[in-house]
Tab-separated table of all heavy atoms in Angstrom:
chain	number	residue	atom	x	y	z
A	61	THR	N	117.245	118.440	71.224
A	61	THR	CA	116.951	119.373	72.302
A	61	THR	C	118.232	119.863	72.971
A	61	THR	O	118.383	121.036	73.317
A	61	THR	CB	116.040	118.694	73.347
A	61	THR	OG1	114.909	118.183	72.670
A	61	THR	CG2	115.586	119.680	74.435
A	62	PHE	N	119.166	118.929	73.168
A	62	PHE	CA	120.403	119.305	73.860
A	62	PHE	C	121.515	119.769	72.883
A	62	PHE	O	122.664	119.860	73.251
A	62	PHE	CB	120.880	118.145	74.757
A	62	PHE	CG	120.030	117.967	75.963
A	62	PHE	CD1	118.865	117.161	75.912
A	62	PHE	CD2	120.335	118.614	77.146
A	62	PHE	CE1	118.054	117.028	77.038
A	62	PHE	CE2	119.524	118.483	78.252
A	62	PHE	CZ	118.368	117.678	78.217
A	63	ARG	N	121.104	120.010	71.635
A	63	ARG	CA	122.025	120.521	70.604
A	63	ARG	C	123.295	119.675	70.493
A	63	ARG	O	124.411	120.190	70.416
A	63	ARG	CB	122.410	121.974	70.926
A	63	ARG	CG	121.218	122.895	70.910
A	63	ARG	CD	121.664	124.347	71.116
A	63	ARG	NE	120.508	125.168	71.453
A	63	ARG	CZ	119.594	125.581	70.594
A	63	ARG	NH1	119.691	125.244	69.341
A	63	ARG	NH2	118.578	126.326	70.996
A	64	LEU	N	123.076	118.393	70.417
A	64	LEU	CA	124.253	117.493	70.312
A	64	LEU	C	124.444	116.942	68.916
A	64	LEU	O	125.420	116.237	68.646
A	64	LEU	CB	124.076	116.311	71.284
A	64	LEU	CG	124.462	116.632	72.740
A	64	LEU	CD1	123.970	115.503	73.664
A	64	LEU	CD2	125.957	116.835	72.895
A	65	ARG	N	123.514	117.236	67.990
A	65	ARG	CA	123.584	116.577	66.684
A	65	ARG	C	124.911	116.932	65.953
A	65	ARG	O	125.686	116.034	65.587
A	65	ARG	CB	122.392	116.957	65.798
A	65	ARG	CG	122.471	116.447	64.361
A	65	ARG	CD	121.158	116.508	63.681
A	65	ARG	NE	120.147	115.918	64.521
A	65	ARG	CZ	119.976	114.607	64.704
A	65	ARG	NH1	120.676	113.764	63.994
A	65	ARG	NH2	119.075	114.161	65.513
A	66	GLU	N	125.158	118.183	65.721
A	66	GLU	CA	126.369	118.588	64.959
A	66	GLU	C	127.657	118.157	65.733
A	66	GLU	O	128.570	117.619	65.141
A	66	GLU	CB	126.393	120.095	64.710
A	66	GLU	CG	125.432	120.527	63.568
A	66	GLU	CD	125.683	119.738	62.264
A	66	GLU	OE1	126.849	119.649	61.824
A	66	GLU	OE2	124.711	119.193	61.724
A	67	PRO	N	127.700	118.452	67.077
A	67	PRO	CA	128.902	118.027	67.806
A	67	PRO	C	129.199	116.531	67.675
A	67	PRO	O	130.336	116.139	67.530
A	67	PRO	CB	128.547	118.409	69.261
A	67	PRO	CG	127.590	119.546	69.138
A	67	PRO	CD	126.803	119.259	67.877
A	68	ILE	N	128.129	115.692	67.705
A	68	ILE	CA	128.386	114.237	67.601
A	68	ILE	C	128.846	113.881	66.198
A	68	ILE	O	129.771	113.077	65.986
A	68	ILE	CB	127.162	113.415	68.016
A	68	ILE	CG1	126.951	113.550	69.536
A	68	ILE	CG2	127.322	111.952	67.658
A	68	ILE	CD1	125.737	112.829	70.129
A	69	ILE	N	128.220	114.507	65.184
A	69	ILE	CA	128.662	114.240	63.803
A	69	ILE	C	130.112	114.652	63.626
A	69	ILE	O	130.933	113.890	63.068
A	69	ILE	CB	127.732	114.975	62.784
A	69	ILE	CG1	126.364	114.310	62.780
A	69	ILE	CG2	128.351	115.006	61.378
A	69	ILE	CD1	125.291	115.023	61.969
A	70	ASN	N	130.476	115.765	64.175
A	70	ASN	CA	131.886	116.194	64.091
A	70	ASN	C	132.836	115.308	64.852
A	70	ASN	O	133.902	114.932	64.361
A	70	ASN	CB	132.043	117.668	64.554
A	70	ASN	CG	131.506	118.615	63.546
A	70	ASN	OD1	131.572	118.346	62.343
A	70	ASN	ND2	131.001	119.731	63.985
A	71	PHE	N	132.417	114.907	66.032
A	71	PHE	CA	133.207	114.015	66.868
A	71	PHE	C	133.446	112.710	66.092
A	71	PHE	O	134.578	112.169	66.086
A	71	PHE	CB	132.488	113.726	68.188
A	71	PHE	CG	133.190	112.738	69.084
A	71	PHE	CD1	134.155	113.207	69.955
A	71	PHE	CD2	132.909	111.396	69.041
A	71	PHE	CE1	134.838	112.323	70.782
A	71	PHE	CE2	133.590	110.493	69.860
A	71	PHE	CZ	134.554	110.958	70.733
A	72	GLY	N	132.398	112.192	65.459
A	72	GLY	CA	132.500	110.902	64.779
A	72	GLY	C	133.407	110.912	63.559
A	72	GLY	O	133.810	109.867	63.088
A	73	LYS	N	133.703	112.103	63.055
A	73	LYS	CA	134.580	112.147	61.855
A	73	LYS	C	135.924	111.498	62.153
A	73	LYS	O	136.511	110.840	61.283
A	73	LYS	CB	134.768	113.587	61.398
A	73	LYS	CG	133.540	114.115	60.666
A	73	LYS	CD	133.776	115.547	60.178
A	73	LYS	CE	132.423	116.069	59.671
A	73	LYS	NZ	132.355	117.519	59.682
A	74	ASP	N	136.472	111.727	63.331
A	74	ASP	CA	137.796	111.180	63.625
A	74	ASP	C	137.887	110.434	64.964
A	74	ASP	O	138.971	110.363	65.548
A	74	ASP	CB	138.866	112.261	63.506
A	74	ASP	CG	138.449	113.527	64.239
A	74	ASP	OD1	137.457	113.494	64.978
A	74	ASP	OD2	139.143	114.582	64.083
A	75	HIS	N	136.775	109.930	65.438
A	75	HIS	CA	136.829	109.108	66.672
A	75	HIS	C	135.943	107.889	66.483
A	75	HIS	O	134.931	107.953	65.782
A	75	HIS	CB	136.272	109.921	67.859
A	75	HIS	CG	137.076	111.093	68.264
A	75	HIS	ND1	136.845	112.344	67.764
A	75	HIS	CD2	138.128	111.208	69.115
A	75	HIS	CE1	137.698	113.197	68.286
A	75	HIS	NE2	138.508	112.534	69.083
A	76	PRO	N	136.306	106.778	67.135
A	76	PRO	CA	135.481	105.591	67.031
A	76	PRO	C	134.090	105.758	67.676
A	76	PRO	O	133.981	106.346	68.750
A	76	PRO	CB	136.279	104.487	67.786
A	76	PRO	CG	137.326	105.198	68.545
A	76	PRO	CD	137.520	106.527	67.927
Side-chain angles (χ1 to χ4, degrees):
T61 307
F62 288 86
R63 298 183 195 285
L64 280 168
R65 175 164 311 282
E66 285 306 311
I68 290 177
I69 289 173
N70 285 329
F71 178 86
K73 284 181 188 156
D74 47 10
H75 295 91

